[in-house]
Amino acid sequence: MFKRFAILLQQASNPFAALGVSRRALRLMMNISEFSEEDDPFSALKLSSWEPLKRVTGRSKCPKCGGSRMFYCSSCLVLVDLDRKDVPTVPLPTHVQIIQHPIEMCGKSTCAHAGVLAPSDVTVTPFDRPKRSSPGPLPAFPDPSRTVLLYPHENAMTVDELVQNLLSKCPSHADGKEGGGREMEEGREGRAPSDSSELKQPQEEESPFHLAWRGLERVVFIDSTWETAKHILRDEQVKSLPCVKLSNAKTHFWRPQNTGAHCLATIEAIYYFFKEMDTCITQTPYRGQFDDLLYFFVYQYHTVKKAMKERPRRPLT
């Protein structure tokens, strides 16, 4: 009873508690210039309608764990007070495995966005540490030779270098045939921009676009603070994976951090990886087929930004 009262009290003094935004974070955000009259950094995205989200008036019980949640349960990765048809489903051309550090609070992490929006293609794996001195083992990756880790290690290859490595294994590319970009684009002709499920189905004659993605079975992401990521990186399986880094991606995460603008939230990293891979493989302008990965992220961003404008420097107690 006392716990429920404490939650209600917190929500009364902090209307953003349902979004997992602490009062301390709000205090810091009041001084962030990003919440001023700047242009919308997401205006070019092709996002599905937020009308179903706007109809949700508050928290409800998760159908699995019974916890108080809004929109989705970050622990069970299921929708709450929303039907599957209410929110987009984003098919991904390869599997995403997110390794989550045990001290990372699920309610504050954005990795749940990926699990809810791409349920068939995303796995969240807890990083168990049975003893404080030794990280616990992770389940074996199905095919480590076709698995990469997205992490900006000093020896990490760029996404473009990864694509060239994958395409070098394609017979048509290795034979030096011209028109690679055009051929990849023809391989997608007639498909809806968001339809990537066909990438996983056998085809008689595959384009380099399909072969490049087929050569990459799994992409691993780390969901933790930058300080605690080193514990996961020491795992024998993880440290044996080749690392890949992004180019010029800038975070718009509303939680204050001191690690720099290029240190992304987990869902931002996933989105920018697939966007950069697509443009590097096809050599054509990006079509927006992965934009809905930021469906919840952008909605929450605008919710917090709007509140900061309406209630500037509101004293918090």
Side-chain angles (χ1 to χ4, degrees):
M1 181 68 182
F2 177 78
K3 182 178 180 181
R4 177 60 180 166
F5 175 76
I7 292 174
L8 292 173
L9 183 63
Q10 181 189 29
Q11 292 178 351
S13 58
N14 175 15
F16 316 111
L19 295 178
V21 181
S22 68
R23 283 177 290 178
R24 175 180 175 275
L26 282 172
R27 290 191 189 98
L28 293 171
M29 283 191 295
M30 288 177 181
N31 296 318
I32 295 180
S33 61
E34 200 161 30
F35 287 90
S36 62
E37 295 294 334
E38 68 165 9
D39 293 335
D40 180 5
F42 305 108
S43 59
L45 298 187
K46 300 175 182 178
L47 296 171
S48 297
S49 172
W50 288 329
E51 286 306 315
L53 302 185
K54 294 177 181 178
R55 290 196 293 267
V56 177
T57 57
R59 289 174 174 255
S60 298
K61 284 188 177 181
C62 169
K64 283 193 173 183
C65 68
S68 177
R69 305 288 187 261
M70 189 172 185
F71 301 145
Y72 55 84
C73 178
S74 53
S75 301
C76 304
L77 303 182
V78 296
L79 292 169
V80 177
D81 255 7
L82 291 166
D83 292 330
R84 184 71 257 178
K85 62 180 176 59
D86 290 335
V87 300
T89 298
V90 186
L92 302 177
T94 193
H95 195 80
V96 166
Q97 181 166 349
I98 304 171
I99 302 175
Q100 190 173 53
H101 195 278
I103 69 169
E104 187 71 19
M105 296 183 64
C106 292
K108 294 184 177 182
S109 170
T110 62
C111 81
H113 298 186
V116 172
L117 295 169
S120 300
D121 299 315
V122 174
T123 301
V124 179
T125 305
F127 185 73
D128 297 321
R129 296 177 64 193
K131 295 182 180 179
R132 191 175 182 83
S133 59
S134 59
L138 290 166
F141 299 122
D143 189 349
S145 67
R146 295 196 296 152
T147 302
V148 298
L149 170 69
L150 189 81
Y151 191 82
H153 190 272
E154 57 182 4
N155 296 323
M157 63 182 130
T158 64
V159 172
D160 186 61
E161 289 171 338
L162 171 63
V163 169
Q164 294 307 315
N165 181 277
L166 294 171
L167 290 179
S168 68
K169 301 173 184 178
C170 301
S172 60
H173 187 85
D175 292 341
K177 291 185 179 180
E178 298 181 357
R182 176 176 52 80
E183 188 176 341
M184 292 175 222
E185 187 62 23
E186 288 174 355
R188 295 193 299 172
E189 188 175 355
R191 295 180 178 83
S194 61
D195 184 10
S196 300
S197 58
E198 215 177 309
L199 297 174
K200 300 178 181 180
Q201 302 301 322
Q203 300 182 15
E204 292 182 3
E205 293 185 6
E206 294 182 308
S207 69
F209 175 80
H210 295 87
L211 288 170
W213 277 117
R214 196 178 299 282
L216 187 63
E217 183 188 72
R218 184 172 302 252
V219 185
V220 178
F221 296 81
I222 293 177
D223 185 55
S224 73
T225 64
W226 288 93
E227 179 63 25
T228 56
K230 61 186 180 183
H231 300 302
I232 298 176
L233 292 169
R234 284 200 293 262
D235 180 86
E236 291 297 327
Q237 289 194 86
V238 174
K239 70 181 183 181
S240 66
L241 296 176
C243 290
V244 181
K245 59 185 177 183
L246 298 172
S247 302
N248 302 321
K250 178 184 176 183
T251 185
H252 292 286
F253 198 25
W254 52 90
R255 295 187 184 283
Q257 56 180 354
N258 300 317
T259 50
H262 295 292
C263 295
L264 309 177
T266 302
I267 191 62
E268 289 179 297
I270 295 171
Y271 164 73
Y272 282 115
F273 172 79
F274 282 103
K275 178 181 178 181
E276 194 169 339
M277 279 287 292
D278 183 78
T279 55
C280 286
I281 293 174
T282 64
Q283 297 295 304
T284 58
Y286 172 65
R287 295 182 174 185
Q289 61 267 41
F290 303 115
D291 286 359
D292 270 333
L293 285 171
L294 297 179
Y295 178 76
F296 289 116
F297 184 88
V298 178
Y299 180 80
Q300 292 173 349
Y301 171 90
H302 283 295
T303 299
V304 175
K305 182 176 179 179
K306 179 181 177 182
M308 290 300 97
K309 290 180 180 179
E310 293 176 349
R311 307 167 80 168
R313 300 191 177 279
R314 177 179 182 268
L316 299 172
T317 58

